[in-house]
Amino acid sequence: MYNMTFEELSGDYSQERMDTVAKALEEVLTSALPQGCITVGVYEAAKSLNVDPDNVVLCILATDEDDVKDVALQIHFTLIQAFCCENDINILRVNNTHRLAEILGGGGGKQSGGEPMDLHCVLVTSPHSTSWKDPALSKLNLFCRESRCMDQWVPIINLPER
């Protein structure tokens, strides 16, 4: 059984714990990418959630300081969060879209045609061929479950610069 500290009970995780979660998120993304298990973009994610929500294992909502003022984006986030909660899909919020772009292989956050990637929503799906048992994904699932127990339905992860 896992005993929680007072800080964890109050919703304040230690820096070491948050670093572990950020590292696990990076591992999940880097292992899912070559398998084709990443969906990038708010609209693409919405389409994927509509077609096959049971295949989605993690939803990542990413913002920078400027995005907080984008009302349309916040409305999309609210709808995606509600859908994910209703379908038991774990959600994380990431506050560094530049680092997320680096992890996903596009250091500049550009698609192949030179268009900027919409990294505001990233879905991680399970490969169809196998049941994906990733220890890093298990860590993220546990973190999300613990956060929900503390009424933090969408925990925020800080992806540190490299």
Side-chain angles (χ1 to χ4, degrees), residues 3 13 15 29 31-32 34 42 48 62 65 77 82 86 92 107 111 153:
N3 292 323
Y13 289 107
Q15 185 61 43
L29 291 172
S31 67
V42 172
S48 181
E65 295 89 28
F77 278 4
E86 184 143 325
L92 291 173
Q111 294 176 348
W153 290 88

Side-chain angles (χ1 to χ4, degrees), residues 21 24-25 28 58 92 136-145:
V21 171
L25 177 58
V28 166
L58 181 65
L92 291 173
L137 182 61
S138 296
K139 285 181 190 176
L140 290 177
N141 289 338
L142 177 63
F143 175 75
C144 289
R145 192 169 39 252

Side-chain angles (χ1 to χ4, degrees), residues 27-28 31-32 35 37 57 124-141:
E27 289 175 21
V28 166
S31 67
Q35 298 180 54
C37 296
V57 294
V124 179
T125 56
S126 180
H128 289 289
S129 59
T130 62
S131 61
W132 192 26
K133 299 294 179 198
D134 184 347
L137 182 61
S138 296
K139 285 181 190 176
L140 290 177
N141 289 338

Side-chain angles (χ1 to χ4, degrees), residues 30-93:
T30 54
S31 67
L33 193 60
Q35 298 180 54
C37 296
I38 299 282
T39 301
V40 177
V42 172
Y43 296 110
E44 291 78 8
K47 285 190 266 182
S48 181
L49 286 167
N50 187 44
V51 172
D52 192 7
D54 294 333
N55 198 35
V56 178
V57 294
L58 181 65
C59 176
I60 301 157
L61 302 174
T63 58
D64 284 326
E65 295 89 28
D66 300 337
D67 297 325
V68 175
K69 299 172 189 163
D70 186 343
V71 176
L73 181 63
Q74 296 307 318
I75 290 170
H76 287 298
F77 278 4
T78 301
L79 294 171
I80 290 170
Q81 288 173 22
F83 187 90
C84 289
C85 286
E86 184 143 325
N87 288 279
D88 296 322
I89 298 168
N90 289 323
I91 314 165
L92 291 173
R93 193 131 185 188

Side-chain angles (χ1 to χ4, degrees), residues 112-128:
S112 57
E115 289 279 320
M117 287 189 342
D118 175 12
L119 295 171
H120 292 110
C121 186
V122 176
L123 297 181
V124 179
T125 56
S126 180
H128 289 289

